[in-house]
Amino acid sequence: KTSVKPGEALIAKLPKGRGANIEIVFTDGQSLREIVEVPEGDAVRPLSRSSLERKFMNFAVPVVGKAGAEHVLSLVDGLEELKDVRELTRTLKGNGQQNPG
């Protein structure tokens, strides 16, 4: 069973609404709580390189396949030396189908 309630204390502390507070209460009465005042990926808490790559791969692989996604990362890493941006845009397009093999 899940319920969502605005946390007045968190809203007062973080008026821009970037934070989150989650509490899980188990049937035996025990509970776990986590408060994140600024989410990872925010301007003041940027993603690490590995987190950014993992997030990109999660979204890109279903569209362009693993090899295509790795190729995009390689092209972006060498963007300053890329002679024709169409190579990147073609790779991002993939074969136009979701979940390529």
Side-chain angles (χ1 to χ4, degrees):
K1 181 177 175 183
T2 304
S3 62
V4 178
K5 298 179 276 185
E8 298 304 324
L10 193 59
I11 291 170
K13 187 175 183 179
L14 302 166
K16 293 184 180 178
R18 299 185 315 197
N21 177 5
I22 185 167
E23 182 177 15
I24 300 170
V25 180
F26 298 96
T27 54
D28 66 2
Q30 293 184 32
S31 65
L32 297 173
R33 173 177 272 189
E34 178 79 26
I35 297 173
V36 175
E37 293 186 7
V38 179
E40 186 179 21
D42 188 272
V44 297
R45 188 176 167 216
L47 288 171
S48 67
R49 171 70 187 221
S50 63
S51 292
L52 182 61
E53 286 180 3
R54 185 173 45 255
K55 184 173 184 175
F56 172 76
M57 293 297 282
N58 284 338
F59 286 103
V61 168
V63 178
V64 298
K66 186 173 186 217
E70 289 171 345
H71 187 57
V72 169
L73 286 175
S74 166
L75 291 170
V76 169
D77 279 341
L79 198 56
E80 291 81 11
E81 290 81 37
L82 190 62
K83 294 190 183 349
D84 188 343
V85 75
R86 287 178 289 193
E87 182 180 0
L88 175 59
T89 58
R90 278 192 301 268
T91 306
L92 285 167
K93 181 179 177 188
N95 63 8
Q97 297 176 336
Q98 291 287 331
N99 301 313

